[in-house]
Amino acid sequence: MTQPSHHGQSPRELPENDASRIDSMIRDCIGEQNFRHWFSGRLRFEVADNMLLIYAPNPFTSNWLMKRFRRQLNHAASQLLGPSASFEIVVDPKLKDQSVPGQIPCGSETAKSNGHDDPPSSCRGQGSAASEERCLPNAPEPQRSSPRNGTPSASGPQPLSVPARGRRRFQSLTTFVPGQCNELALLAARQVVQAPGERFNPLYVHGSTGVGKTHLLEGIYSEIRRTKPNLRMIYLTSEGFTNYFMQALAARTVPSFRQRFRDVDVLLIDNIEFLDSKKATQEEFLHTIVQVIDHGGQLVVSGDRHPRLLTKHREELTTRFMSGLVCRIEAPCEDTRRNMTRSLALPMTGSFTQEALDFVARRCQKNVREIQGALNCLHSHFELTGRKITVARAREILGDMERECRRLVRINDVEKVICDAFGLTAADLRSKSRRRAVACPRSLAMYIARKLTKLAYREIGAYFGGRDHSTVVAAEKRVLAWVESDEAVNLPSSCRGRSVAEIIAELEERLMALAC
C-alpha cells in the first residue's frame, strides 16, 4: 500500500485541544501507566498532514520506544489521521534529556515506522511508499545517526535511518522489456508519466498472469515519484483497498478513509478482479475513482481480463474503465522472450551457454514468471554440480520437471472458465435454452473442449446436457466461421466490440493457467 506523498508539508504546532486529543489517543492505545512512565512530560508531538511526529530527546529513547510501542503507535496514528496515516519518531536534543527507565537497547530497532509495518495478515507483502525516508521540510539538512552507536553527528531534529529490510522495491519502466506484445501499454504508460491526468484517463491494462501488468504499474509509480515528487500518490491492490475500507467501517472512520484515498493526484490499483461480487466495496471504489478523475487526478488499473468480461462488477465501474484507454498485454513473442531471458540471466553470470538461454526462451511461452522459474531451477543445478548449463542439460532438467507437473485440461475446467467469463452457471450451459446469452457461450465451451481435451464429440455433447455428437460438430463449425469472418457476431453484450479470436485466446489463457 502506498501513501500519498506530502513533500513540502511543514509540521505544525498543535492547538491545545488537538494536543490533548493526541495525548488521550496515545494514552488509550498504550495504557495510562505506560503513558505516564514514558511519554508524559518527556516527548513532544506534531502533525505533518498524514504523519504523526513524535520528538524524543535522544536515539536511545527513540529506539526503546520503537521497540516497545510500534504497534500501539501505528494504531494511534491511524485512529487520529485515518487508515493510511503513519508515525515517525524524531530525535531532538533540545528536549530535556531524561533516560527511559530500564535497559535501553542501542541501535537494535528502527526509529521510524509506518502504518504497514504490522499490517493485517491479508495485507502482508504489499509495498509502502511511506516506508521511504522522509525529511522534515524547512529544517536543517538531517544527519543520519550511526548504525553502530546511535550517536547523532549533528544537532537539530534528526530522523533516524531505516533499514532496507521489509521495504518493497518498485520496478522501473527502464527495466520493462518492450516488444510487440506490450508496446501499446508501454507507450500509454510513458504518456501517463509525462502528463498525469491529461491523457488516457483512466488507463486500464489487462492480460494473463505474469505478462508484466504489475511491473508496468510499479514503473509508472516510480517514474512519477521521481519526476514529480510533489504529487500525492497511492499504489495498492484492490485487496488492499478492500481491507482498508473494511477497517474504516469497523472503526467508524469512513470520512478519514475517503479523504485519504480521494484526495490524491495519482491512484494506481492492481488486480481489480479481486472486487468481484463485493458490492459495497465496488460502490465505494466507484465514488473514489469518480472523485479522483473529476478533479484532474490520474487513474491506472490492471486486471486479468477485459472490462467487458468483469461480469461480477457493477456496470458503472466497467464503463468507467472503458471510457479511457484499454490496453491488452499479450503473452510475449519469441524475440521478446529472448530479451527477457537475457535480462533475467544477467545476475547469473557464467551459469548458461547462449544456446541454453535460447532454448529456455523457446520453451517457456506463457509468461515471464515461467522463464524466471526455469532460470532459477537451472542456476540451482549449476551451483550444486558446478557444471555449466548447456542445451542438452537444460532439456533434461526442465523435461523432468514438466513430466512431474503435467496435468491435462479437463472438461469441467472449460465449463468453469466459460461460466466465470459470461456470468452463467453450469446448469445454464447444460440446459435446453437456446437464448443467445446461453447458446453462444455453450458453443464456445464445446469448441474449446474439443480443442484442448482428448474427449470425443459424443462425450462432449453428453457432458453439456446430453446432446449428440452432431450438435458439437455444428458448434465447432459455427465458432470456426466466427473466427474466420473476423466480423462482429451475435455474441452476448459482454463481448461486443471484440473479435471472437481475441475472446477465445483470452479464455484459453485463463484455462491453461487454471490447469497448471
PDB file of all heavy atoms in Angstrom, residues 259-292:
ATOM      1  N   GLN A 259     -11.134  10.717   2.672  1.00  0.00           N
ATOM      2  CA  GLN A 259     -10.231  11.843   2.464  1.00  0.00           C
ATOM      3  C   GLN A 259      -8.867  11.370   1.993  1.00  0.00           C
ATOM      4  O   GLN A 259      -8.263  11.966   1.105  1.00  0.00           O
ATOM      5  CB  GLN A 259     -10.085  12.641   3.762  1.00  0.00           C
ATOM      6  CG  GLN A 259      -9.150  13.839   3.636  1.00  0.00           C
ATOM      7  CD  GLN A 259      -8.961  14.559   4.955  1.00  0.00           C
ATOM      8  OE1 GLN A 259      -9.517  14.155   5.969  1.00  0.00           O
ATOM      9  NE2 GLN A 259      -8.180  15.623   4.939  1.00  0.00           N
ATOM     10  N   ARG A 260      -8.378  10.290   2.561  1.00  0.00           N
ATOM     11  CA  ARG A 260      -7.043   9.804   2.204  1.00  0.00           C
ATOM     12  C   ARG A 260      -6.994   9.245   0.785  1.00  0.00           C
ATOM     13  O   ARG A 260      -6.013   9.418   0.086  1.00  0.00           O
ATOM     14  CB  ARG A 260      -6.599   8.703   3.190  1.00  0.00           C
ATOM     15  CG  ARG A 260      -6.549   9.152   4.627  1.00  0.00           C
ATOM     16  CD  ARG A 260      -5.620  10.320   4.824  1.00  0.00           C
ATOM     17  NE  ARG A 260      -5.856  10.962   6.117  1.00  0.00           N
ATOM     18  CZ  ARG A 260      -5.300  12.101   6.470  1.00  0.00           C
ATOM     19  NH1 ARG A 260      -4.492  12.715   5.652  1.00  0.00           N
ATOM     20  NH2 ARG A 260      -5.563  12.621   7.654  1.00  0.00           N
ATOM     21  N   PHE A 261      -8.059   8.556   0.361  1.00  0.00           N
ATOM     22  CA  PHE A 261      -8.000   7.875  -0.924  1.00  0.00           C
ATOM     23  C   PHE A 261      -8.549   8.711  -2.080  1.00  0.00           C
ATOM     24  O   PHE A 261      -8.257   8.413  -3.232  1.00  0.00           O
ATOM     25  CB  PHE A 261      -8.751   6.538  -0.850  1.00  0.00           C
ATOM     26  CG  PHE A 261      -7.972   5.462  -0.166  1.00  0.00           C
ATOM     27  CD1 PHE A 261      -8.086   5.284   1.203  1.00  0.00           C
ATOM     28  CD2 PHE A 261      -7.106   4.655  -0.861  1.00  0.00           C
ATOM     29  CE1 PHE A 261      -7.364   4.299   1.852  1.00  0.00           C
ATOM     30  CE2 PHE A 261      -6.377   3.670  -0.232  1.00  0.00           C
ATOM     31  CZ  PHE A 261      -6.512   3.489   1.140  1.00  0.00           C
ATOM     32  N   ARG A 262      -9.343   9.713  -1.777  1.00  0.00           N
ATOM     33  CA  ARG A 262      -9.913  10.504  -2.865  1.00  0.00           C
ATOM     34  C   ARG A 262      -9.128  11.773  -3.139  1.00  0.00           C
ATOM     35  O   ARG A 262      -9.193  12.313  -4.242  1.00  0.00           O
ATOM     36  CB  ARG A 262     -11.366  10.861  -2.531  1.00  0.00           C
ATOM     37  CG  ARG A 262     -12.267   9.633  -2.409  1.00  0.00           C
ATOM     38  CD  ARG A 262     -13.709  10.016  -2.147  1.00  0.00           C
ATOM     39  NE  ARG A 262     -14.529   8.827  -1.911  1.00  0.00           N
ATOM     40  CZ  ARG A 262     -15.838   8.843  -1.739  1.00  0.00           C
ATOM     41  NH1 ARG A 262     -16.499  10.002  -1.770  1.00  0.00           N
ATOM     42  NH2 ARG A 262     -16.507   7.723  -1.536  1.00  0.00           N
ATOM     43  N   ASP A 263      -8.399  12.243  -2.165  1.00  0.00           N
ATOM     44  CA  ASP A 263      -7.660  13.490  -2.332  1.00  0.00           C
ATOM     45  C   ASP A 263      -6.231  13.195  -2.783  1.00  0.00           C
ATOM     46  O   ASP A 263      -5.258  13.530  -2.110  1.00  0.00           O
ATOM     47  CB  ASP A 263      -7.666  14.267  -1.016  1.00  0.00           C
ATOM     48  CG  ASP A 263      -7.081  15.669  -1.184  1.00  0.00           C
ATOM     49  OD1 ASP A 263      -7.102  16.188  -2.315  1.00  0.00           O
ATOM     50  OD2 ASP A 263      -6.603  16.234  -0.178  1.00  0.00           O
ATOM     51  N   VAL A 264      -6.100  12.513  -3.931  1.00  0.00           N
ATOM     52  CA  VAL A 264      -4.787  12.165  -4.471  1.00  0.00           C
ATOM     53  C   VAL A 264      -4.695  12.614  -5.922  1.00  0.00           C
ATOM     54  O   VAL A 264      -5.704  12.873  -6.570  1.00  0.00           O
ATOM     55  CB  VAL A 264      -4.521  10.639  -4.382  1.00  0.00           C
ATOM     56  CG1 VAL A 264      -4.477  10.185  -2.942  1.00  0.00           C
ATOM     57  CG2 VAL A 264      -5.571   9.862  -5.153  1.00  0.00           C
ATOM     58  N   ASP A 265      -3.469  12.716  -6.402  1.00  0.00           N
ATOM     59  CA  ASP A 265      -3.232  13.114  -7.788  1.00  0.00           C
ATOM     60  C   ASP A 265      -3.100  11.906  -8.714  1.00  0.00           C
ATOM     61  O   ASP A 265      -3.417  11.993  -9.897  1.00  0.00           O
ATOM     62  CB  ASP A 265      -1.961  13.969  -7.880  1.00  0.00           C
ATOM     63  CG  ASP A 265      -2.071  15.240  -7.063  1.00  0.00           C
ATOM     64  OD1 ASP A 265      -3.028  16.001  -7.296  1.00  0.00           O
ATOM     65  OD2 ASP A 265      -1.217  15.465  -6.189  1.00  0.00           O
ATOM     66  N   VAL A 266      -2.607  10.792  -8.184  1.00  0.00           N
ATOM     67  CA  VAL A 266      -2.436   9.575  -8.989  1.00  0.00           C
ATOM     68  C   VAL A 266      -2.853   8.388  -8.129  1.00  0.00           C
ATOM     69  O   VAL A 266      -2.356   8.210  -7.017  1.00  0.00           O
ATOM     70  CB  VAL A 266      -0.977   9.390  -9.454  1.00  0.00           C
ATOM     71  CG1 VAL A 266      -0.854   8.139 -10.315  1.00  0.00           C
ATOM     72  CG2 VAL A 266      -0.491  10.606 -10.223  1.00  0.00           C
ATOM     73  N   LEU A 267      -3.770   7.591  -8.653  1.00  0.00           N
ATOM     74  CA  LEU A 267      -4.245   6.392  -7.954  1.00  0.00           C
ATOM     75  C   LEU A 267      -3.998   5.189  -8.855  1.00  0.00           C
ATOM     76  O   LEU A 267      -4.511   5.125  -9.970  1.00  0.00           O
ATOM     77  CB  LEU A 267      -5.737   6.518  -7.627  1.00  0.00           C
ATOM     78  CG  LEU A 267      -6.396   5.314  -6.942  1.00  0.00           C
ATOM     79  CD1 LEU A 267      -5.748   5.049  -5.582  1.00  0.00           C
ATOM     80  CD2 LEU A 267      -7.897   5.551  -6.774  1.00  0.00           C
ATOM     81  N   LEU A 268      -3.206   4.233  -8.372  1.00  0.00           N
ATOM     82  CA  LEU A 268      -2.884   3.032  -9.137  1.00  0.00           C
ATOM     83  C   LEU A 268      -3.414   1.815  -8.388  1.00  0.00           C
ATOM     84  O   LEU A 268      -3.052   1.597  -7.227  1.00  0.00           O
ATOM     85  CB  LEU A 268      -1.380   2.893  -9.344  1.00  0.00           C
ATOM     86  CG  LEU A 268      -0.689   4.078 -10.038  1.00  0.00           C
ATOM     87  CD1 LEU A 268       0.074   4.911  -9.018  1.00  0.00           C
ATOM     88  CD2 LEU A 268       0.276   3.609 -11.121  1.00  0.00           C
ATOM     89  N   ILE A 269      -4.282   1.039  -9.043  1.00  0.00           N
ATOM     90  CA  ILE A 269      -4.930  -0.109  -8.424  1.00  0.00           C
ATOM     91  C   ILE A 269      -4.590  -1.362  -9.232  1.00  0.00           C
ATOM     92  O   ILE A 269      -4.882  -1.440 -10.425  1.00  0.00           O
ATOM     93  CB  ILE A 269      -6.455   0.061  -8.362  1.00  0.00           C
ATOM     94  CG1 ILE A 269      -6.815   1.341  -7.598  1.00  0.00           C
ATOM     95  CG2 ILE A 269      -7.101  -1.152  -7.715  1.00  0.00           C
ATOM     96  CD1 ILE A 269      -6.462   1.312  -6.132  1.00  0.00           C
ATOM     97  N   ASP A 270      -4.001  -2.341  -8.574  1.00  0.00           N
ATOM     98  CA  ASP A 270      -3.592  -3.581  -9.235  1.00  0.00           C
ATOM     99  C   ASP A 270      -4.595  -4.691  -8.914  1.00  0.00           C
ATOM    100  O   ASP A 270      -5.213  -4.702  -7.844  1.00  0.00           O
ATOM    101  CB  ASP A 270      -2.201  -3.975  -8.729  1.00  0.00           C
ATOM    102  CG  ASP A 270      -1.477  -4.914  -9.682  1.00  0.00           C
ATOM    103  OD1 ASP A 270      -2.031  -5.210 -10.761  1.00  0.00           O
ATOM    104  OD2 ASP A 270      -0.355  -5.334  -9.356  1.00  0.00           O
ATOM    105  N   ASN A 271      -4.775  -5.608  -9.858  1.00  0.00           N
ATOM    106  CA  ASN A 271      -5.617  -6.805  -9.664  1.00  0.00           C
ATOM    107  C   ASN A 271      -7.055  -6.437  -9.321  1.00  0.00           C
ATOM    108  O   ASN A 271      -7.588  -6.831  -8.276  1.00  0.00           O
ATOM    109  CB  ASN A 271      -5.031  -7.704  -8.572  1.00  0.00           C
ATOM    110  CG  ASN A 271      -3.637  -8.192  -8.886  1.00  0.00           C
ATOM    111  OD1 ASN A 271      -3.293  -8.380 -10.052  1.00  0.00           O
ATOM    112  ND2 ASN A 271      -2.830  -8.376  -7.872  1.00  0.00           N
ATOM    113  N   ILE A 272      -7.700  -5.711 -10.219  1.00  0.00           N
ATOM    114  CA  ILE A 272      -9.059  -5.238  -9.955  1.00  0.00           C
ATOM    115  C   ILE A 272     -10.045  -6.386  -9.849  1.00  0.00           C
ATOM    116  O   ILE A 272     -11.129  -6.236  -9.256  1.00  0.00           O
ATOM    117  CB  ILE A 272      -9.493  -4.253 -11.067  1.00  0.00           C
ATOM    118  CG1 ILE A 272     -10.738  -3.471 -10.656  1.00  0.00           C
ATOM    119  CG2 ILE A 272      -9.728  -4.981 -12.373  1.00  0.00           C
ATOM    120  CD1 ILE A 272     -10.558  -2.583  -9.470  1.00  0.00           C
ATOM    121  N   GLU A 273      -9.710  -7.553 -10.371  1.00  0.00           N
ATOM    122  CA  GLU A 273     -10.647  -8.684 -10.342  1.00  0.00           C
ATOM    123  C   GLU A 273     -10.968  -9.135  -8.924  1.00  0.00           C
ATOM    124  O   GLU A 273     -11.960  -9.844  -8.706  1.00  0.00           O
ATOM    125  CB  GLU A 273     -10.098  -9.862 -11.148  1.00  0.00           C
ATOM    126  CG  GLU A 273      -8.802 -10.450 -10.640  1.00  0.00           C
ATOM    127  CD  GLU A 273      -7.565  -9.732 -11.155  1.00  0.00           C
ATOM    128  OE1 GLU A 273      -7.720  -8.718 -11.879  1.00  0.00           O
ATOM    129  OE2 GLU A 273      -6.451 -10.181 -10.842  1.00  0.00           O
ATOM    130  N   PHE A 274     -10.172  -8.727  -7.937  1.00  0.00           N
ATOM    131  CA  PHE A 274     -10.451  -9.096  -6.555  1.00  0.00           C
ATOM    132  C   PHE A 274     -11.783  -8.516  -6.069  1.00  0.00           C
ATOM    133  O   PHE A 274     -12.379  -9.027  -5.119  1.00  0.00           O
ATOM    134  CB  PHE A 274      -9.319  -8.621  -5.640  1.00  0.00           C
ATOM    135  CG  PHE A 274      -9.461  -9.040  -4.202  1.00  0.00           C
ATOM    136  CD1 PHE A 274      -9.080 -10.304  -3.792  1.00  0.00           C
ATOM    137  CD2 PHE A 274      -9.997  -8.163  -3.269  1.00  0.00           C
ATOM    138  CE1 PHE A 274      -9.223 -10.692  -2.466  1.00  0.00           C
ATOM    139  CE2 PHE A 274     -10.143  -8.545  -1.935  1.00  0.00           C
ATOM    140  CZ  PHE A 274      -9.755  -9.813  -1.535  1.00  0.00           C
ATOM    141  N   LEU A 275     -12.271  -7.469  -6.730  1.00  0.00           N
ATOM    142  CA  LEU A 275     -13.529  -6.851  -6.312  1.00  0.00           C
ATOM    143  C   LEU A 275     -14.757  -7.596  -6.829  1.00  0.00           C
ATOM    144  O   LEU A 275     -15.881  -7.125  -6.613  1.00  0.00           O
ATOM    145  CB  LEU A 275     -13.587  -5.391  -6.800  1.00  0.00           C
ATOM    146  CG  LEU A 275     -12.562  -4.426  -6.217  1.00  0.00           C
ATOM    147  CD1 LEU A 275     -12.853  -3.003  -6.681  1.00  0.00           C
ATOM    148  CD2 LEU A 275     -12.528  -4.491  -4.704  1.00  0.00           C
ATOM    149  N   ASP A 276     -14.574  -8.711  -7.506  1.00  0.00           N
ATOM    150  CA  ASP A 276     -15.714  -9.489  -7.991  1.00  0.00           C
ATOM    151  C   ASP A 276     -16.718  -9.739  -6.863  1.00  0.00           C
ATOM    152  O   ASP A 276     -16.347 -10.236  -5.788  1.00  0.00           O
ATOM    153  CB  ASP A 276     -15.250 -10.837  -8.556  1.00  0.00           C
ATOM    154  CG  ASP A 276     -14.685 -10.707  -9.955  1.00  0.00           C
ATOM    155  OD1 ASP A 276     -14.713  -9.597 -10.505  1.00  0.00           O
ATOM    156  OD2 ASP A 276     -14.214 -11.733 -10.500  1.00  0.00           O
ATOM    157  N   SER A 277     -17.991  -9.390  -7.133  1.00  0.00           N
ATOM    158  CA  SER A 277     -19.119  -9.668  -6.231  1.00  0.00           C
ATOM    159  C   SER A 277     -19.081  -8.909  -4.913  1.00  0.00           C
ATOM    160  O   SER A 277     -19.937  -9.138  -4.059  1.00  0.00           O
ATOM    161  CB  SER A 277     -19.217 -11.178  -5.929  1.00  0.00           C
ATOM    162  OG  SER A 277     -19.360 -11.917  -7.137  1.00  0.00           O
ATOM    163  N   LYS A 278     -18.137  -8.014  -4.710  1.00  0.00           N
ATOM    164  CA  LYS A 278     -18.069  -7.220  -3.479  1.00  0.00           C
ATOM    165  C   LYS A 278     -18.815  -5.899  -3.717  1.00  0.00           C
ATOM    166  O   LYS A 278     -18.211  -4.878  -4.056  1.00  0.00           O
ATOM    167  CB  LYS A 278     -16.619  -6.979  -3.071  1.00  0.00           C
ATOM    168  CG  LYS A 278     -15.872  -8.265  -2.715  1.00  0.00           C
ATOM    169  CD  LYS A 278     -14.436  -7.983  -2.371  1.00  0.00           C
ATOM    170  CE  LYS A 278     -13.734  -9.242  -1.878  1.00  0.00           C
ATOM    171  NZ  LYS A 278     -13.706 -10.311  -2.865  1.00  0.00           N
ATOM    172  N   LYS A 279     -20.103  -5.933  -3.551  1.00  0.00           N
ATOM    173  CA  LYS A 279     -20.951  -4.821  -3.971  1.00  0.00           C
ATOM    174  C   LYS A 279     -20.660  -3.536  -3.203  1.00  0.00           C
ATOM    175  O   LYS A 279     -20.573  -2.455  -3.788  1.00  0.00           O
ATOM    176  CB  LYS A 279     -22.417  -5.214  -3.828  1.00  0.00           C
ATOM    177  CG  LYS A 279     -22.839  -6.346  -4.755  1.00  0.00           C
ATOM    178  CD  LYS A 279     -24.323  -6.661  -4.611  1.00  0.00           C
ATOM    179  CE  LYS A 279     -24.734  -7.778  -5.561  1.00  0.00           C
ATOM    180  NZ  LYS A 279     -26.176  -8.116  -5.436  1.00  0.00           N
ATOM    181  N   ALA A 280     -20.529  -3.627  -1.878  1.00  0.00           N
ATOM    182  CA  ALA A 280     -20.295  -2.427  -1.078  1.00  0.00           C
ATOM    183  C   ALA A 280     -18.947  -1.800  -1.412  1.00  0.00           C
ATOM    184  O   ALA A 280     -18.839  -0.576  -1.576  1.00  0.00           O
ATOM    185  CB  ALA A 280     -20.367  -2.765   0.412  1.00  0.00           C
ATOM    186  N   THR A 281     -17.914  -2.637  -1.546  1.00  0.00           N
ATOM    187  CA  THR A 281     -16.586  -2.116  -1.880  1.00  0.00           C
ATOM    188  C   THR A 281     -16.575  -1.551  -3.289  1.00  0.00           C
ATOM    189  O   THR A 281     -15.921  -0.526  -3.552  1.00  0.00           O
ATOM    190  CB  THR A 281     -15.530  -3.221  -1.743  1.00  0.00           C
ATOM    191  OG1 THR A 281     -15.662  -3.843  -0.473  1.00  0.00           O
ATOM    192  CG2 THR A 281     -14.140  -2.652  -1.889  1.00  0.00           C
ATOM    193  N   GLN A 282     -17.267  -2.185  -4.226  1.00  0.00           N
ATOM    194  CA  GLN A 282     -17.349  -1.661  -5.580  1.00  0.00           C
ATOM    195  C   GLN A 282     -17.991  -0.282  -5.602  1.00  0.00           C
ATOM    196  O   GLN A 282     -17.538   0.614  -6.328  1.00  0.00           O
ATOM    197  CB  GLN A 282     -18.141  -2.620  -6.469  1.00  0.00           C
ATOM    198  CG  GLN A 282     -17.410  -3.888  -6.841  1.00  0.00           C
ATOM    199  CD  GLN A 282     -18.244  -4.804  -7.708  1.00  0.00           C
ATOM    200  OE1 GLN A 282     -19.154  -4.356  -8.396  1.00  0.00           O
ATOM    201  NE2 GLN A 282     -17.951  -6.086  -7.684  1.00  0.00           N
ATOM    202  N   GLU A 283     -19.033  -0.103  -4.816  1.00  0.00           N
ATOM    203  CA  GLU A 283     -19.684   1.210  -4.779  1.00  0.00           C
ATOM    204  C   GLU A 283     -18.742   2.270  -4.224  1.00  0.00           C
ATOM    205  O   GLU A 283     -18.647   3.376  -4.763  1.00  0.00           O
ATOM    206  CB  GLU A 283     -20.953   1.133  -3.932  1.00  0.00           C
ATOM    207  CG  GLU A 283     -21.721   2.450  -3.900  1.00  0.00           C
ATOM    208  CD  GLU A 283     -23.048   2.331  -3.175  1.00  0.00           C
ATOM    209  OE1 GLU A 283     -23.383   1.227  -2.717  1.00  0.00           O
ATOM    210  OE2 GLU A 283     -23.737   3.371  -3.070  1.00  0.00           O
ATOM    211  N   GLU A 284     -18.035   1.938  -3.147  1.00  0.00           N
ATOM    212  CA  GLU A 284     -17.080   2.886  -2.577  1.00  0.00           C
ATOM    213  C   GLU A 284     -15.955   3.177  -3.558  1.00  0.00           C
ATOM    214  O   GLU A 284     -15.525   4.334  -3.713  1.00  0.00           O
ATOM    215  CB  GLU A 284     -16.500   2.319  -1.275  1.00  0.00           C
ATOM    216  CG  GLU A 284     -15.526   3.240  -0.564  1.00  0.00           C
ATOM    217  CD  GLU A 284     -16.181   4.528  -0.091  1.00  0.00           C
ATOM    218  OE1 GLU A 284     -17.402   4.508   0.222  1.00  0.00           O
ATOM    219  OE2 GLU A 284     -15.481   5.559  -0.040  1.00  0.00           O
ATOM    220  N   PHE A 285     -15.474   2.152  -4.241  1.00  0.00           N
ATOM    221  CA  PHE A 285     -14.401   2.343  -5.214  1.00  0.00           C
ATOM    222  C   PHE A 285     -14.878   3.200  -6.385  1.00  0.00           C
ATOM    223  O   PHE A 285     -14.139   4.042  -6.891  1.00  0.00           O
ATOM    224  CB  PHE A 285     -13.909   0.985  -5.711  1.00  0.00           C
ATOM    225  CG  PHE A 285     -12.737   1.072  -6.659  1.00  0.00           C
ATOM    226  CD1 PHE A 285     -11.512   1.510  -6.220  1.00  0.00           C
ATOM    227  CD2 PHE A 285     -12.879   0.722  -7.997  1.00  0.00           C
ATOM    228  CE1 PHE A 285     -10.431   1.601  -7.091  1.00  0.00           C
ATOM    229  CE2 PHE A 285     -11.819   0.808  -8.870  1.00  0.00           C
ATOM    230  CZ  PHE A 285     -10.583   1.245  -8.410  1.00  0.00           C
ATOM    231  N   LEU A 286     -16.110   2.993  -6.814  1.00  0.00           N
ATOM    232  CA  LEU A 286     -16.663   3.799  -7.901  1.00  0.00           C
ATOM    233  C   LEU A 286     -16.667   5.278  -7.528  1.00  0.00           C
ATOM    234  O   LEU A 286     -16.218   6.129  -8.304  1.00  0.00           O
ATOM    235  CB  LEU A 286     -18.080   3.329  -8.228  1.00  0.00           C
ATOM    236  CG  LEU A 286     -18.856   4.182  -9.235  1.00  0.00           C
ATOM    237  CD1 LEU A 286     -18.179   4.177 -10.597  1.00  0.00           C
ATOM    238  CD2 LEU A 286     -20.298   3.685  -9.351  1.00  0.00           C
ATOM    239  N   HIS A 287     -17.171   5.602  -6.343  1.00  0.00           N
ATOM    240  CA  HIS A 287     -17.192   7.000  -5.917  1.00  0.00           C
ATOM    241  C   HIS A 287     -15.775   7.555  -5.770  1.00  0.00           C
ATOM    242  O   HIS A 287     -15.530   8.733  -6.057  1.00  0.00           O
ATOM    243  CB  HIS A 287     -17.940   7.130  -4.595  1.00  0.00           C
ATOM    244  CG  HIS A 287     -19.403   6.821  -4.702  1.00  0.00           C
ATOM    245  ND1 HIS A 287     -20.233   7.452  -5.613  1.00  0.00           N
ATOM    246  CD2 HIS A 287     -20.197   5.945  -4.019  1.00  0.00           C
ATOM    247  CE1 HIS A 287     -21.476   6.983  -5.483  1.00  0.00           C
ATOM    248  NE2 HIS A 287     -21.465   6.059  -4.532  1.00  0.00           N
ATOM    249  N   THR A 288     -14.851   6.703  -5.350  1.00  0.00           N
ATOM    250  CA  THR A 288     -13.459   7.144  -5.203  1.00  0.00           C
ATOM    251  C   THR A 288     -12.858   7.529  -6.545  1.00  0.00           C
ATOM    252  O   THR A 288     -12.263   8.602  -6.693  1.00  0.00           O
ATOM    253  CB  THR A 288     -12.618   6.030  -4.553  1.00  0.00           C
ATOM    254  OG1 THR A 288     -13.118   5.766  -3.236  1.00  0.00           O
ATOM    255  CG2 THR A 288     -11.157   6.435  -4.451  1.00  0.00           C
ATOM    256  N   ILE A 289     -13.006   6.661  -7.556  1.00  0.00           N
ATOM    257  CA  ILE A 289     -12.366   6.958  -8.840  1.00  0.00           C
ATOM    258  C   ILE A 289     -13.074   8.112  -9.552  1.00  0.00           C
ATOM    259  O   ILE A 289     -12.441   8.875 -10.284  1.00  0.00           O
ATOM    260  CB  ILE A 289     -12.301   5.707  -9.734  1.00  0.00           C
ATOM    261  CG1 ILE A 289     -13.691   5.225 -10.149  1.00  0.00           C
ATOM    262  CG2 ILE A 289     -11.528   4.608  -9.054  1.00  0.00           C
ATOM    263  CD1 ILE A 289     -13.662   4.080 -11.141  1.00  0.00           C
ATOM    264  N   VAL A 290     -14.380   8.249  -9.354  1.00  0.00           N
ATOM    265  CA  VAL A 290     -15.086   9.394  -9.942  1.00  0.00           C
ATOM    266  C   VAL A 290     -14.527  10.685  -9.365  1.00  0.00           C
ATOM    267  O   VAL A 290     -14.266  11.655 -10.089  1.00  0.00           O
ATOM    268  CB  VAL A 290     -16.599   9.276  -9.686  1.00  0.00           C
ATOM    269  CG1 VAL A 290     -17.306  10.591 -10.031  1.00  0.00           C
ATOM    270  CG2 VAL A 290     -17.194   8.147 -10.519  1.00  0.00           C
ATOM    271  N   GLN A 291     -14.317  10.703  -8.048  1.00  0.00           N
ATOM    272  CA  GLN A 291     -13.772  11.897  -7.398  1.00  0.00           C
ATOM    273  C   GLN A 291     -12.369  12.196  -7.911  1.00  0.00           C
ATOM    274  O   GLN A 291     -12.016  13.348  -8.197  1.00  0.00           O
ATOM    275  CB  GLN A 291     -13.737  11.673  -5.887  1.00  0.00           C
ATOM    276  CG  GLN A 291     -13.185  12.825  -5.064  1.00  0.00           C
ATOM    277  CD  GLN A 291     -14.217  13.889  -4.773  1.00  0.00           C
ATOM    278  OE1 GLN A 291     -15.360  13.770  -5.205  1.00  0.00           O
ATOM    279  NE2 GLN A 291     -13.814  14.923  -4.060  1.00  0.00           N
ATOM    280  N   VAL A 292     -11.545  11.159  -8.021  1.00  0.00           N
ATOM    281  CA  VAL A 292     -10.158  11.359  -8.471  1.00  0.00           C
ATOM    282  C   VAL A 292     -10.125  11.897  -9.899  1.00  0.00           C
ATOM    283  O   VAL A 292      -9.451  12.888 -10.203  1.00  0.00           O
ATOM    284  CB  VAL A 292      -9.368  10.041  -8.368  1.00  0.00           C
ATOM    285  CG1 VAL A 292      -8.001  10.179  -9.048  1.00  0.00           C
ATOM    286  CG2 VAL A 292      -9.185   9.643  -6.907  1.00  0.00           C
TER     287      VAL A 292
END
